[in-house]
């Protein structure tokens, strides 16, 4: 904030930076005076620094965002995204208003030149350059003839204006960020002045945790002294039993039997002819496509496939079938299947490698290729001759000589079927034997081709039936879930007991937040979270929820109020800290006044050496990261011995063996500039986070979503 105050005081700088921006002007203003907002009505979803955010306005923005991202994001993800944007826009908007930051038309046009709009031929002049006037005319036409497109543009324009204002604002802050040559010199020294030390370390692990007694009141006192570090949001603890809708063993057996029956012919009574008809089974049917349409969950796939494209668990078996032969029933994933070999194309898939010699003017030739067509042909013939020599590794030739994108892979093109490659390449690959090497010319250049392998491709018809739970299984599941809910509703202690008796798995979920939607094991279950945070729900309450694949019987087991953590909640975090402090006190008291050798002897440790330590890399070999210890060493003179130092992993005593000063430089501007650049790169995030931390935000999203 001090930086901002300095900027505000620099009126001359402000005039130079934002003088012309005092009158905000956006492209849409040329065509309309309307905006995306409107009067705020209804309840507020938030209050940010005293400004209320209308729930109606917020919902409109959520709807627009949902239409933009589609089904790729959950409803709460969209809500949270809109929320973050709204908070950012409101907080930074206050700064823009205070500083009088506005955006001119030229700034929007310049921004558009960097977006997809500039690449649209509709907005380009005869030279292919973005034409702002054409764009304005088009926007005017959208307003009259394409309202949906116009509304989309208004959204984009709003985003552009916000981004441009942010850029101006953050650039103003960056203008106040700097570093002196002295700061650069210090940074250089911290990275390059080296220290060799002798040290002894008594690790904290030398004292057992069990010997350190920490009371609840001591944890509470520690938390109260460090309240900012132990704040908590409202949270809830749950436990649940998941009654998953899945097929039983009997369901699987029944579906397998149904699939098996499809193999052979069956007799069916035909009421229209008053006689029995023979219905051809999968084994004998002549119309495979019609059979699969009637009896299978999947249609007939007429595409010929290589082995790698068949189900991996049965690929070998299917490839070994003869035409007309059947395999199955077999289980593949969540289905039972029967497969029948319909047709086979021997050597229908070829694996080949090539060396491409392109030339100037060839299709898709790299601009860096300068050889002529004649030179490319001559080079290709040389490589062909070389490739046919005994012992020559084709992939190495391709790596060193090919102009094709497959060069890094040794020219490997993988497997491909007939018709994928250009005609001449295709003909060579399919009309020659495995191991053949030859030369062909295409529009891309000259290809030295090696046929690496050939394999059959097959056409397989597969009857597939998904393994699903039967109606009986689903009814039983509902009965069990309902019974468990009823038995545990009146006795909160019965949940775990009854679950254990029925051999149900109880899954705990700790500290869910009011706006969470994903629960471990259940994923998107926003309704459960809403129930847990409902004011009428009390600890011990139980409720059954319908979920996508069954039911979840959930019990609320704990609540956490907003504020500072209780001693119980903070104990897992605070205990290790207090234990370390107590251990450090004991070690220091027991070794005070002792020489390094005596400390080592009395504590069964050794005196060690560490060399070339720097403040910027404060890692001591054998001890780990110890910034306090290395920082202490930096302030000591050669030959000096320290007192006992409380480090990260233990208590240290060090002696400076040698200090090597960094060579002096004529100028430290490189280092001061590096500090300035690093600080400037943090401005956008750091300034916004500081403004956000200093804002008063009342979030009511959980009330509405």
């Amino acid at each position: 904030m001090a930086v901002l105050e300095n900027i505000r005081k620099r009126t001359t700088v402000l005039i130079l930076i934002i003088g012309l921006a005092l009158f905000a002007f956006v492209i849409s203003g040329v065509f309309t005076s309307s905006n995306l907002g409107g009067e705020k009505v209804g309840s507020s979803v938030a209050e940010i620094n005293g400004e209320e955010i209308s729930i109606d306005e917020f919902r409109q923005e959520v709807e627009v965002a949902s239409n933009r991202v589609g089904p790729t994001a959950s409803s709460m993800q969209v809500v949270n995204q809109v929320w973050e944007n709204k908070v950012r826009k409101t907080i930074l908007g206050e700064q823009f208003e205070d500083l009088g930051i506005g955006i001119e038309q030229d700034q929007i046009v310049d921004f558009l030149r960097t977006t997809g709009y500039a690449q649209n031929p509709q907005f380009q002049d005869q030279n292919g350059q973005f034409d702002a006037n054409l764009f304005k005319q088009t926007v005017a036409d959208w307003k009259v003839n394409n309202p949906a497109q116009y509304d989309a543009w208004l959204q984009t324009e709003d985003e552009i204006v916000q981004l441009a204002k942010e850029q101006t604002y953050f650039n103003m802050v960056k203008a106040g960020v700097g570093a002196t040559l002295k700061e650069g010199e210090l940074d250089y020294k911290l990275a390059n002045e080296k220290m060799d030390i002798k040290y002894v370390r008594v690790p904290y692990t030398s004292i057992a945790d069990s010997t350190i007694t920490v009371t609840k009141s001591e944890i509470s006192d520690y938390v109260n002294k460090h309240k900012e570090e132990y704040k908590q949001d409202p949270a809830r603890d749950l436990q649940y039993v998941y009654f998953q809708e899945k097929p039983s063993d009997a369901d699987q057996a029944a579906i397998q039997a149904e699939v098996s029956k499809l193999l052979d012919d069956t007799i069916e009574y035909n009421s229209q002819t008053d006689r029995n008809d023979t219905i051809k089974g999968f084994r004998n049917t002549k119309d495979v496509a019609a059979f699969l349409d009637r009896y299978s969950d999947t249609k007939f796939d007429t595409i010929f496939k290589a082995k790698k494209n068949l189900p991996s668990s049965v690929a070998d078996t299917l490839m070994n079938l003869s035409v007309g032969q059947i395999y199955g029933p077999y289980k593949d994933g969540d289905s039972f299947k029967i497969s029948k070999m319909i047709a086979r194309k021997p050597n229908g898939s070829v694996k080949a490698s090539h060396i491409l010699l392109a030339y100037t003017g060839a299709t898709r030739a790299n601009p860096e290729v300068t050889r002529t067509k004649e030179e490319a042909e001559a080079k290709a013939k040389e490589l062909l001759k070389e490739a046919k020599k005994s012992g020559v590794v084709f992939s190495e030739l391709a790596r060193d000589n090919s102009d094709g994108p497959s060069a890094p892979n040794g020219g490997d093109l993988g497997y491909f079927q007939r018709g994928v490659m250009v005609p001449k390449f295709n003909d060579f690959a399919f009309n020659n034997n495995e191991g053949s090497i030859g030369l062909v010319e295409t529009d891309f250049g000259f290809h030295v081709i090696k046929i690496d392998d050939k394999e059959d491709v097959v056409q397989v018809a597969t009857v597939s039936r998904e393994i699903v739970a039967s109606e009986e299984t689903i009814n039983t599941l509902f009965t069990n879930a309902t019974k468990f809910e009823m038995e545990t509703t009146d006795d909160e202690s019965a949940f775990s007991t009854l679950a254990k008796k029925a051999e149900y798995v109880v899954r705990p979920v700790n500290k869910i937040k009011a706006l969470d939607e994903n629960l471990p094991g259940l994923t998107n279950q926003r309704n459960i979270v809403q129930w847990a945070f409902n004011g009428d729900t009390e600890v011990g309450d139980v409720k059954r929820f319908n979920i996508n694949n069954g039911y979840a019987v959930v019990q609320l087991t704990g609540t956490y109020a907003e504020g500072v953590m209780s001693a119980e909640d903070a104990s897992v975090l605070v205990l290790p800290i207090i234990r370390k402090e107590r251990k450090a006190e004991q070690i220091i008291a027991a070794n005070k006044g002792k020489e390094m050798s005596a400390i080592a002897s009395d504590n069964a440790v050794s005196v060690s050496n560490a060399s070339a330590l720097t403040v910027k890399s404060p890692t001591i070999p054998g001890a780990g990261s110890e910034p306090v210890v290395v920082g202490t060493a930096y302030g000591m003179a050669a030959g000096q011995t320290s007192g006992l130092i409380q480090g990260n992993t233990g208590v240290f005593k060090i002696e400076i063996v040698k200090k090597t000063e960094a060579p002096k430089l004529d100028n430290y501007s490189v280092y001061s500039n590096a500090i300035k650049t690093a600080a400037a790169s943090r401005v956008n995030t750091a300034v916004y986070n500081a403004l956000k931390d200093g804002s008063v935000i009342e979030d009511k999203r959980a009330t509405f979503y």
Side-chain angles (χ1 to χ4, degrees):
M1 293 306 291
V3 173
L4 292 178
E5 287 299 321
N6 288 333
I7 291 175
R8 290 191 178 104
K9 292 173 184 177
R10 298 177 186 174
T11 55
T12 302
V13 176
L14 282 177
I15 290 171
L16 291 173
I17 294 176
I18 63 172
L20 294 176
L22 292 175
F23 298 94
F25 179 65
V26 296
I27 290 176
S28 63
V30 176
F31 313 113
T32 178
S33 60
S34 65
N35 56 61
L36 292 174
E39 294 298 318
K40 298 177 183 177
V41 296
S43 304
S44 64
V45 70
E47 188 174 312
I48 304 172
N49 291 336
E51 180 180 345
E52 289 194 349
I53 307 299
S54 162
I55 182 59
D56 303 287
E57 173 188 328
F58 189 81
R59 280 173 173 157
Q60 288 176 10
E61 294 188 23
V62 169
E63 183 178 355
V64 171
S66 296
N67 293 334
R68 181 179 297 183
V69 301
T72 57
S74 70
S75 58
M76 280 306 296
Q77 286 175 324
V78 176
V79 167
N80 294 338
Q81 179 185 350
V82 172
W83 167 259
E84 292 300 329
N85 290 340
K86 197 72 176 176
V87 171
R88 182 182 183 89
K89 191 173 181 179
T90 303
I91 291 174
L92 290 177
E94 295 175 353
Q95 301 297 312
F96 301 158
E97 186 175 351
D98 287 347
L99 294 171
I101 295 177
I103 299 303
E104 291 189 335
Q105 180 183 9
D106 289 346
Q107 290 174 275
I108 296 179
V109 171
D110 288 341
F111 190 91
L112 286 173
R113 297 184 195 279
T114 66
T115 69
Y117 285 98
Q119 308 305 318
N120 190 330
Q122 185 179 5
F123 311 132
Q124 295 176 344
D125 59 21
Q126 58 185 6
N127 297 318
Q129 300 298 314
F130 177 74
D131 189 319
N133 290 325
L134 280 176
F135 181 77
K136 292 176 187 178
Q137 293 169 14
T138 304
V139 171
D141 180 68
W142 286 342
K143 182 182 179 184
V144 176
N145 300 312
N146 193 343
Q149 183 69 52
Y150 181 68
D151 288 343
W153 158 247
L154 289 179
Q155 280 283 335
T156 302
E157 180 189 80
D158 191 53
E159 293 169 4
I160 291 172
V161 170
Q162 180 68 16
L163 289 171
K165 286 182 178 180
E166 288 187 18
Q167 187 178 61
T168 300
Y169 173 72
F170 289 128
N171 284 342
M172 289 166 60
V173 178
K174 289 174 185 177
V177 174
T180 65
L181 290 176
K182 274 296 180 184
E183 288 176 299
E185 182 180 359
L186 175 60
D187 190 66
Y188 168 74
K189 288 181 177 180
L190 294 179
N192 294 280
E193 289 193 353
K194 295 180 172 57
M195 300 163 283
D196 296 348
I197 68 170
K198 182 187 295 183
Y199 73 92
V200 63
R201 177 184 66 132
V202 182
Y204 297 129
T205 54
S206 63
I207 300 176
D209 287 350
S210 59
T211 64
I212 307 296
T213 302
V214 180
T215 65
K216 180 179 176 180
S217 62
E218 289 171 330
I219 294 174
S220 182
D221 290 342
Y222 186 91
V223 170
N224 288 330
K225 291 178 182 177
H226 304 82
K227 290 181 179 180
E228 289 298 316
E229 299 174 33
Y230 297 98
K231 285 184 176 180
Q232 68 178 11
D233 295 323
R236 300 289 185 267
D237 287 345
L238 306 172
Q239 61 180 0
Y240 71 89
V241 171
Y242 180 23
F243 293 84
Q244 186 177 6
E245 184 180 301
K246 58 183 180 180
S248 65
D249 291 342
D251 294 336
Q252 294 196 51
I255 293 169
Q256 184 176 8
E258 288 178 10
V259 172
S260 297
K261 287 181 181 179
L262 295 174
L263 269 172
D264 298 315
D265 300 349
T266 57
I267 305 298
E268 289 186 8
Y269 174 71
N270 189 328
S271 59
Q272 293 180 344
T273 61
D274 191 27
R275 70 179 199 178
N276 292 330
D277 291 339
T278 299
I279 307 299
K280 296 291 185 181
F282 189 50
R283 195 188 309 277
N284 298 320
T285 184
K286 300 300 181 184
D287 191 343
V288 172
F291 187 91
L292 296 186
D293 282 345
R294 182 175 181 183
Y295 297 109
S296 175
D297 292 340
T298 56
K299 305 292 185 182
F300 179 38
D301 187 352
T302 59
I303 296 174
F304 280 79
K305 295 181 180 179
K307 178 181 175 181
K308 67 177 182 179
N309 301 121
L310 298 174
S312 58
S313 60
V314 294
D316 288 331
T317 302
L318 296 181
M319 287 300 295
N320 289 327
L321 294 177
S322 302
V323 173
Q325 194 173 358
I326 286 176
Y327 174 69
Y330 62 91
K331 188 177 180 182
D332 180 31
D334 295 327
S335 298
F336 274 113
K337 298 179 178 180
I338 302 174
S339 293
K340 183 179 184 179
M341 180 65 68
I342 303 300
R344 177 187 296 272
K345 291 181 181 179
N347 296 327
S349 179
V350 173
K351 184 177 187 292
S353 303
H354 80 140
I355 304 170
L356 172 63
L357 278 301
Y359 53 83
T360 302
T363 300
R364 297 182 193 170
N366 191 311
E368 296 178 1
V369 174
T370 58
R371 69 171 70 92
T372 64
K373 182 176 181 179
E374 292 74 19
E375 290 171 337
E377 183 177 13
K379 179 68 173 177
K381 288 178 178 178
E382 289 178 14
L383 289 171
L384 173 65
K385 187 176 180 181
E386 183 70 18
K388 288 184 175 182
K389 290 181 180 179
S390 176
V392 172
V393 179
F394 190 89
S395 61
E396 293 179 0
L397 281 180
R399 260 187 228 105
D400 296 337
N401 297 281
S402 181
D403 296 321
S406 64
N409 299 324
D412 185 8
L413 296 170
Y415 285 93
F416 53 89
Q417 293 189 37
R418 190 179 296 276
V420 172
M421 299 296 180
V422 293
K424 289 183 180 179
F425 198 112
N426 180 87
D427 292 345
F428 180 87
F430 286 92
N431 294 337
N432 290 279
N433 296 325
E434 180 182 336
S436 298
I437 300 176
L439 176 65
V440 300
E441 180 187 352
T442 73
D443 292 340
F444 299 96
F446 294 90
H447 306 258
V448 179
I449 305 171
K450 179 176 181 289
I451 301 176
D452 299 313
D453 188 26
K454 289 194 172 187
E455 64 177 10
D456 294 354
V457 291
V458 294
Q459 186 185 62
V460 178
T462 299
V463 175
S464 176
R465 285 282 182 88
E466 185 182 1
I467 304 170
V468 295
S470 65
E471 185 176 347
E472 181 182 354
T473 298
I474 294 172
N475 290 340
T476 301
L477 186 74
F478 174 76
T479 300
N480 291 341
T482 304
K483 181 181 178 184
F484 182 71
E485 176 193 19
M486 294 175 64
E487 290 177 339
T488 56
T489 296
D490 297 327
D491 184 356
E492 66 179 78
S493 64
F495 196 95
S496 297
T497 303
L498 291 174
K500 184 176 181 180
K501 183 178 179 181
E503 298 184 346
Y504 298 147
V505 176
V506 177
R507 306 183 188 187
V509 183
N510 296 323
K511 291 193 174 180
I512 60 172
K513 303 295 177 61
L515 291 168
D516 286 347
E517 61 177 339
N518 293 322
L519 301 180
L522 295 180
T523 62
N524 190 350
Q525 294 300 325
R526 179 67 189 150
N527 55 341
I528 296 178
V529 178
Q530 289 174 318
W531 168 79
F533 279 88
N534 189 302
D536 296 330
T537 305
E538 299 178 351
V539 171
D541 284 358
V542 175
K543 185 174 181 179
R544 172 177 52 81
F545 292 87
N546 297 347
I547 56 179
N548 290 338
N549 296 305
Y551 309 94
V553 179
V554 186
Q555 183 179 49
L556 180 65
T557 57
T559 63
Y560 303 87
E562 183 177 11
V564 180
M565 290 183 181
S566 66
E568 292 85 354
D569 297 335
S571 63
V572 67
L573 302 172
V574 174
L575 265 176
I577 298 173
I578 296 179
R579 284 192 185 124
K580 183 189 282 190
E581 291 179 350
R582 296 284 175 79
K583 290 179 181 182
E585 291 170 0
Q586 289 186 23
I587 293 170
I588 291 172
N591 295 280
K592 193 172 183 179
K594 293 181 182 179
E595 298 294 329
M596 292 176 67
S597 57
I599 294 174
S601 176
D602 294 347
N603 293 276
V605 295
S606 59
V607 177
S608 302
N609 292 286
S611 59
L613 301 179
T614 68
V615 175
K616 282 292 190 75
S617 301
T619 299
I620 300 176
S625 178
E626 291 291 351
V628 172
V629 178
V630 176
T632 302
Y634 186 78
M636 296 168 59
Q640 189 176 356
T641 301
S642 73
L644 294 167
I645 307 168
Q646 182 177 338
N648 282 341
T649 60
V651 174
F652 291 75
K653 190 180 184 73
I654 64 173
E655 177 186 331
I656 306 300
V657 177
K658 179 184 176 184
K659 296 192 79 170
T660 305
E661 291 189 6
K664 293 186 181 298
L665 302 179
D666 293 335
N667 191 298
Y668 295 94
S669 59
V670 171
Y671 293 90
S672 62
N673 287 338
I675 295 173
K676 179 180 178 180
T677 300
S681 69
R682 297 190 296 268
V683 162
N684 292 28
T685 301
V687 169
Y688 172 68
N689 287 341
L691 292 170
K692 186 177 179 181
D693 290 342
S695 298
V696 179
I697 302 174
E698 185 180 358
D699 184 357
K700 306 175 188 176
R701 278 177 293 166
T703 304
F704 300 96
Y705 295 96

